[in-house]
Amino acid sequence: MEVFQSHRKSSSNNVIVSILPFYRSAPPLEVRLEDFEFFAMDRLRVLKGISDGLCRGKKPEEMEKLVVDLWKANMRHPQAVEEVNKDIISHFVLRLVYCRTEELRKWFLSMETTLFRHRFRLESSEAQRALMSEFKLPYKAVSNAEFESVKDKLGQVARSMGQNLAAADAIFYKVPFEEVPDLVSGRRVFIHKGHAYVAMNQVVSLVVTQFRSYISKALILTNRKWTSTIREQEKDRLTPIVEALCTSYLGPDYSQPQEFGEISIKDIDQVAKTSFPLCMRHLFEKVKEDHHLKHGGRMQLGLFLKGVGLKLDDALAFWKAEFAPKVSAERFDKEYAYNIRHNYGREGKRTDYTPYSCQKIISVTPGIGDHHGCPYRHFSEENLRAALVRMGLSSRAVEDVMDKVHNRHYQLACTLTFEAVHGSSCDAGINHPNQYFIDSQRVLQSKNGSVA
Amino acid sequence: MTKEEADNGRDDMVIDVPGQANAVPDGFNANYLRIYYGKLFPHADMFKWMSYGNDGKHPGCDKSYFGRREFSFTLENDIYIRFQSFNSVTELENSIKEKCPFKIDIGPVYSVDPAKRHAYAQSGNNVFTPVERELVFDIDISDYDDVRYCCTGADVCLECWPLMTIAIKVIDTSLRDDFGFNHILWVYSGRRGVHCWVCDGKARRLTNEQRAAIADYFHVYKGNENSQKKISLPGLVLHPFLARSYTEVLKGFFEAKLLPNQNLLASEERYEKILEMIPDASVASELRRRWQENKRASMSKDDINIVRWEQLKSILQSGKQKMQGLRRCVEEIVFSYTYPRLDMEVSRHMNHLLKAPFCVHPKTGRVCVPIDPNNCDEFDPTTVPTLSQLLEELNRGGLRQDAENEWDRTSLGESVAFFRTSFLQPLLKSCKEEIENSYNAKLQQSKNDLSWSHVSLKVLLKRTKPTFPSLQLIHQIPSMKWF
């Protein structure tokens, strides 16, 4: 087996200690066909576990522990060399699997970056420094003289984050701000004339950004190779494995409404009361009240209704009627109809857009005049409590839900709401507004023997 | 130009009725626009700007650059056409004059001419993609409706316009001092807001992720009517950017202008909004009690808002307050009233289209003129030239043979001159330098490459090979050799 440059040898006993590959190049190895598949599935369990953790709003410390546990459970091997090879091989196989559409690439990139970030943070600081130079990051440590001149500002930044500028942190790197977008975004660095002053403990961000950017480009290249040659060449061997790996793990996307077929425009009011999750109820109420919704809200609610089974013509009629007091029919046709048709895949790129999952909805930041997003995250406590009471929750149930919200478990909060409203348990937890809807209809149907 | 001057008449004026013959009724229509685009709109300057120095004079110029920029036109009757592109200033000018758009938007520079996008989209590799785009910001005063009582919605007056002024100051300072940008153009949006165009090369090449990071850096005011606390400033001290904004701009403006002018503490309805922001209910009730007792004029002749604000500050900032949430309460209140409220979506994506400067706003007839950030206190949106006013000024000037620089005869002249000297010229100078440097660097690079030519063949092959399973390995079947 070939040995890679990313192996680290501890100086004390010449044994390979911590190994964190950057997946720069595919190894010239021989791999058995079964390993090809099983290695990938094990890694996929890790990535899926990370995805679940993020959805549930786990804090960084919790995520770190989760990553350790997931890795131990799925990727460990008594022989370090074998572990590294499995690590690398599984990554490259999954690249093939997840390079094929924009959404898959985004998901894979996000999970692999999170995985890398936590694994990197667990390395010792010497190992981290070595890995940094491996990436050939051309960032120089800030000279003592310069450090003195900006020390006050650096201290201010640290204290603004509830930390202190300890002597140990006197090592700062000066990097162009473009290299550390997440630090800039959270105002966690001092920036001056285009340079960010990054503390040693923030260095993770630098490396992770490089990693992310590299993997992002690599995925595009892989996709080109896949479409142009590999898929066809390997159609009897690798291709079926690759295609199966993907669909077996990412839950349904609800773009094709299944069981309850269609919902027509006259049913909407009724099902909104009984089966919509809070996020969609809120949007629905607002559109009825204001006769308008901003773009973010129209997308979130519109795609949800599509997933629920509202046909394009009914959707157009619905929005037109709701907007009528504020928007004339002609203006509606001019300004809004196009976008609705676009969502149904009848215009432009003809992409059939999929309804947003909880993960996506939770991650947005609604702005002024917006009503989309996840109410469990974005509503003030007062407003959320009021909304829950309007949904019919008892004060005991409201407390349970608020408890989850305080701990930032937004999807668990929604699950508890579901259980309180329907009087039945939801073991799988809510991951998608359309899932809430389908489960709700199922419960109601089994109770009444009819839909809604 | 005053009515008196017009009345006195000018010797070279042919028209007989003094004063009235030049009068152009207020309005916005295709006829007015036609004259505007014919004589006043600065086509050549816009072209020079959008070319960023790629005028073909230097061998390092990219001649395709201007042609890859997207423009979009909104025509009369709300007809909207996207992906307009032009290869020269003449094409741009003729198209504008012919189509007479009610609004012109500027989009990104794409990888290929937008007119040819369909050819590239077919291959599915998404080769038609934005490659450069200015970093832009959009601030709209209607987003401040909950803190201004003088106007709502589309209206704006000299009482509330200063909210825009301080937004410009905060953002402009940060763009220059923190991010190191230099070529920044602020433009009046024509009715109720301002746009900002950051045109440095570094800014144009920012990725969506980096733009989002900058937008988030500026994002302090969060929330809408559903959330209550819109400003949250945790931490023992403020980040240097926020601290500077507070001490240099926001605090002074809030205490001296906004507080008294908008009577933020004078009535119960208004002071309740501020009391709501105090997390300690006992402090809030104490103040409420004091102010309810004191409804009539206070002893001193000072403005009641300022008196009450001092009371509020002295309670919250007294050493006795231990509660965590109270530490930054005063700043949070000031920020929530005055801190810039940006439209995040505008800045995040490269493909967002933004209205071009020097357009005329259909609802007000005002021209979207540049604003000098160093003198933004002087800017008065109620005196910005309108379309009809400009046409009137043209009329007064009489007929002229030379059609160049007609704007000099009108109020628009000042704006065009400012655009050129303060923005365009320094920008173009810097672009030329950049083109030259990058050209020289490339020459040097190829010299280096040549000197390794005897090894280069192998090196080149290695470089062009993607770092992932290539054709080769797939052909080696029997064992599943895979690298």
Side-chain angles (χ1 to χ4, degrees), chain A residues 345-388:
Chain A
R346 306 291 171 83
E347 298 285 356
K349 279 196 307 193
R350 316 259 156 175
T351 311
D352 204 12
Y353 289 96
T354 54
Y356 298 160
S357 63
C358 287
Q359 193 178 352
K360 184 156 181 175
I361 291 174
I362 288 171
S363 68
V364 302
T365 317
I368 301 162
D370 283 327
H371 294 287
H372 60 285
C374 177
Y376 298 100
R377 181 178 176 209
H378 298 117
F379 274 22
S380 67
E381 169 139 357
E382 200 182 302
N383 285 346
L384 183 55
R385 281 175 182 271
L388 291 171

Side-chain angles (χ1 to χ4, degrees), chain A residues 8-19:
Chain A
R8 298 269 156 271
K9 291 188 193 247
S10 136
S11 46
S12 51
N13 49 11
N14 251 353
V15 164
I16 298 165
V17 183
S18 65
I19 295 127

Side-chain angles (χ1 to χ4, degrees), chain A residues 27 187 189 193-194 234 370 383, chain B residues 177-178 217 224 226 239 482:
Chain A
R187 286 191 296 271
V189 279
K193 292 291 183 207
E234 289 290 333
D370 283 327
N383 285 346
Chain B
D177 289 356
D178 299 345
Y217 180 84
N224 49 32
N226 297 317
H239 182 280
W482 189 78

